[in-house]
Amino acid sequence: MTTSTRGRTGRSLLLTSGLALALAAVAVPFYWLAVGATHSSQELFSSPPPLLPGGHLAENLATLQETAHFGRVVLNSLGIATVYTLLAGTVCTLAGYGFATYRFRGRDTLFGLLMLGLVVPAQITLVPLFRMMADLHWLGTYQAVIAPNLALPFGIFLMRQSMAALPKELLDSGRMDGCGELRLFWRVALPPMRPALAALAIFLFLYQWNDFVWPLIVLRDDLTFTIPVALASLQGLDETDYGAILAGTSIAAVPMAVVFLLLQRHFVSGLLAGAVKE
Amino acid sequence: MSLAKPLPAARRRQRGRAAPYLFVLPALLLFAAFKLYPIGWSFLLSLHRTVAGTDTFVGLDNYARLLDDPLLWTALRNTLVVLAVQVPLMLALATGLAVALDSSLLKGRSVFRLGFFLPMVTGLVAYGIVFSVLLNKDYGLVNWLLGRAGADPVPWLTDGMWARISLGLALTWHYTGYNAVILLARLQTVPRELYDAAAVDGAGALAAFRHVTLPGLRPALLLTTVLSTIGTLQLFDEPTVLTGGGPDNATLTLGMYLYRHAFTYFDFGYASAVAYALTLLIGLLGLLQFRLLGDKP
């Protein structure tokens, strides 16, 4: 009895410390990113490389502002991601609700069509979408970044899965009370869906915040760039200032990681509900 | 007649019939405009050659050109190498991680679950840049640490084989935790009684893993395999930022190749043909995976 308990404790310790070691390895890039943001390029590429924070953060941020209008770029990213989250969140939630709670002709076909978007590679649409944006005279505009991905298949999928958990009795009793369909959606269906909506919002925001290829294609002027596009453009310069780039990269990654940590309970559970339920 | 106007209840039912369509309509319209229409247009483009902004119909020429384009085969081979090596290794790692995260022996499970998921939050450009600096041959932290351990510096990004390994490492860092969380969720639906029964039958940990855990994980493994395959075949951001496709095209992917033809050479027709070939490949591999992993109980 004592031996087996001790054996269990030992194995528990072994497993926990083993995973802690692995987690530390996974965390190295994050730590080093934060450290790198506070050093000059010269310090970064010296031997030994810096392992502790330095004193060049302000200077790096100033360089970013100077070479890439980074303050404006951050605002662009925040604005685009916020508007996108609101609009795409609405589109995906409405569709998810429609597919999950109604039976109607063509439902499965239409849903299957939308899910095709998960399988068909995004690249296949890049060229025609680019031309569409040119024809609409939208190149270089924010709406060109936002509009094409509003009906995000994964978001619709996620919402349908979550909404399927709504008790039918709840909706029916709302109808008995004379509630219209839109009011039913707004007043009865949405409130209990708050965790799923939070998960969707985090997902959409992160998706847009980190999106690279499409903004890279449609944005023209560095005043309209989003953070990933600005960072990539800095990296292409002849004299790349890596201290500044890492400071910018920290701004892209660290706040998102913090927000994610704060809201993760919703996110992971919401994502999981969508990913595995059958 | 008093029935000239429909009864309120009937009218409500009528309206109720239109309601579902109204809910899904915005999504369908946007999807049709920005996905289906471009997909169709892309096919038409693939039958044309664009010179100086004018499209000329060339039939299947672009597809014929695919077949003897050595660089395309290089890109295909690079992509398939990642698919054959990195994806299975990562999914095995994710499975192990999921089992460990599910174990009652582990203390502080939620911290670990979160920590391993965190890389997924980082944008591709951001982590590409971090890895490119960490793996710098002369000044990178990784080679410095190796040097301290008495090893020679590794040409992580400047040698073809090592560049592929670096790409694989970066991808593994980014996606393992994500896949582990999906697998973990499935794992939690496996009835505990099955493990108890296996223990009663005298099964060791390994046997229980083979006969209870793996079969239970099958649907989630299918999902992660298919998602990873689709993601790998479209691989673009990571190699673009990490290696630029080099050295000497060792990490050039199909996604990059397509992008290059479309937006560097403005050869839209050929780029579309590459895109359709890619879609075909994704479809075929997806089907194959469903055959291998799907159906069976």
Side-chain angles (χ1 to χ4, degrees):
Chain A
M1 177 73 195
T2 328
T3 353
S4 95
T5 313
R6 200 181 300 145
R8 196 179 152 77
T9 315
R11 276 184 299 152
S12 171
L13 198 69
L14 198 70
L15 182 67
T16 306
S17 47
L19 270 200
L21 214 63
L23 187 58
V26 167
V28 165
F30 280 109
Y31 173 76
W32 193 83
L33 172 61
V35 168
T38 63
H39 286 277
S40 68
S41 268
Q42 213 170 3
E43 288 168 352
L44 278 173
F45 295 117
S46 58
S47 195
L51 297 173
L52 294 171
H56 284 82
L57 180 62
E59 196 185 308
N60 286 337
L61 292 177
T63 308
L64 275 178
Q65 179 57 27
E66 210 172 295
T67 51
H69 318 282
F70 212 69
R72 175 69 194 268
V73 164
V74 171
L75 287 181
N76 289 338
S77 269
L78 277 175
I80 289 175
T82 306
V83 172
Y84 174 78
T85 302
L86 289 173
L87 293 178
T90 306
V91 171
C92 294
T93 307
L94 285 172
Y97 177 78
F99 282 117
T101 61
Y102 294 101
R103 301 180 58 88
F104 53 94
R105 273 176 71 96
R107 182 186 65 174
D108 295 342
T109 314
L110 290 174
F111 185 73
L113 198 66
L114 286 172
M115 290 307 106
L116 203 68
L118 279 176
V119 186
V120 174
Q123 284 103 336
I124 204 169
T125 59
L126 284 183
V127 167
L129 269 181
F130 173 76
R131 287 194 156 185
M132 257 171 96
M133 296 301 134
D135 292 345
L136 289 168
H137 300 289
W138 277 10
L139 285 180
T141 66
Y142 298 130
Q143 66 264 32
V145 181
I146 292 170
N149 290 314
L150 285 180
L152 199 69
F154 188 72
I156 296 168
F157 176 74
L158 204 65
M159 280 298 101
R160 193 190 76 143
Q161 300 292 65
S162 307
M163 295 279 188
L166 276 173
K168 293 278 170 291
E169 300 78 37
L170 192 68
L171 298 174
D172 285 339
S173 69
R175 284 197 183 95
M176 299 282 269
D177 293 344
C179 204
E181 295 300 317
L182 200 62
R183 237 172 86 92
L184 195 68
F185 166 72
W186 186 252
R187 285 290 166 85
V188 180
L190 276 194
M193 280 293 120
R194 234 171 268 155
L197 291 174
L200 177 71
I202 299 170
F203 178 81
L204 292 173
F205 194 92
L206 278 173
Y207 170 83
Q208 187 61 260
W209 181 266
N210 288 328
D211 195 18
F212 174 49
V213 181
W214 183 242
L216 177 73
I217 290 172
V218 290
L219 292 177
R220 289 297 146 93
D221 175 7
D222 52 5
L223 277 174
T224 64
F225 280 178
T226 58
I227 295 177
V229 179
L231 289 175
S233 77
L234 283 179
Q235 211 197 12
L237 295 179
D238 287 342
E239 273 194 37
T240 304
D241 185 337
Y242 272 97
I245 286 195
L246 289 177
T249 306
S250 296
I251 291 174
V254 174
M256 288 305 115
V258 172
V259 170
F260 178 77
L261 284 174
L262 292 174
L263 300 174
Q264 55 87 19
R265 197 188 309 259
H266 302 305
F267 185 69
V268 174
S269 60
L271 196 64
L272 292 183
V276 193
K277 211 177 283 165
E278 280 156 73
Chain B
M1 285 275 285
S2 62
L3 284 179
K5 271 204 293 185
L7 292 168
R11 191 203 284 160
R12 199 183 308 143
R13 211 174 308 130
Q14 204 70 40
R15 224 175 40 198
R17 219 168 284 158
Y21 294 102
L22 294 178
F23 280 108
V24 300
L25 194 65
L28 287 174
L29 286 179
L30 285 162
F31 189 77
F34 294 119
K35 199 83 191 184
L36 291 182
Y37 177 61
I39 288 174
W41 190 354
S42 186
F43 182 68
L44 281 183
L45 272 175
S46 77
L47 304 177
H48 289 76
R49 170 154 305 167
T50 310
V51 179
T54 327
D55 297 332
T56 324
F57 184 80
V58 293
L60 294 174
D61 276 13
N62 286 320
Y63 291 94
R65 194 176 141 199
L66 282 174
L67 296 175
D68 46 23
D69 177 347
L71 210 49
L72 178 89
W73 293 102
T74 305
L76 179 64
R77 205 181 52 224
N78 292 340
T79 309
L80 291 180
V81 165
V82 176
L83 196 63
V85 179
Q86 191 267 338
V87 170
L89 282 179
M90 173 184 67
L91 290 180
L93 203 59
T95 307
L97 189 59
V99 171
L101 289 173
D102 193 42
S103 166
S104 59
L105 289 169
L106 184 68
K107 305 270 177 256
R109 271 189 279 182
S110 56
V111 175
F112 282 111
R113 211 162 82 167
L114 191 58
F116 282 110
F117 195 84
L118 211 49
M120 189 65 194
V121 176
T122 336
L124 302 151
V125 171
Y127 91 86
I129 288 173
V130 174
F131 270 76
S132 73
V133 181
L134 277 174
L135 295 176
N136 184 292
K137 181 172 183 282
D138 301 318
Y139 309 104
L141 182 64
V142 176
N143 272 353
W144 180 76
L145 287 173
L146 286 175
R148 296 276 300 212
D152 287 331
V154 173
W156 292 106
L157 302 172
T158 46
D159 170 83
M161 187 192 66
W162 283 108
R164 288 198 190 114
I165 291 174
S166 302
L167 182 63
L169 282 175
L171 290 169
T172 304
W173 180 79
H174 197 235
Y175 293 103
T176 304
Y178 173 73
N179 286 308
V181 170
I182 293 181
L183 292 168
L184 176 64
R186 177 69 204 184
L187 211 50
Q188 287 168 346
T189 67
V190 177
R192 294 286 129 174
E193 299 84 63
L194 287 181
Y195 287 101
D196 297 340
V200 169
D201 290 349
L206 220 61
F209 177 76
R210 244 190 77 193
H211 298 293
V212 180
T213 309
L214 273 188
L217 277 180
R218 190 190 278 275
L221 276 173
L222 175 66
L223 180 74
T224 49
T225 305
V226 171
L227 287 180
S228 303
T229 302
I230 295 174
T232 302
L233 288 175
Q234 300 188 46
L235 202 59
F236 174 82
D237 299 31
E238 287 93 341
T240 299
V241 179
L242 200 59
T243 57
D248 197 23
N249 295 320
T251 53
L252 180 74
T253 62
L254 285 173
M256 291 177 79
Y257 190 61
L258 191 165
Y259 181 90
R260 203 181 274 181
H261 276 278
F263 296 102
T264 310
Y265 311 142
F266 298 103
D267 191 349
F268 293 138
Y270 191 55
S272 295
V274 176
Y276 263 88
L278 187 58
T279 307
L280 190 69
L281 194 62
I282 289 178
L284 286 176
L285 282 172
L287 271 182
L288 187 71
Q289 286 165 346
F290 269 101
R291 273 283 165 78
L292 291 176
L293 279 164
D295 308 323
K296 283 172 265 173

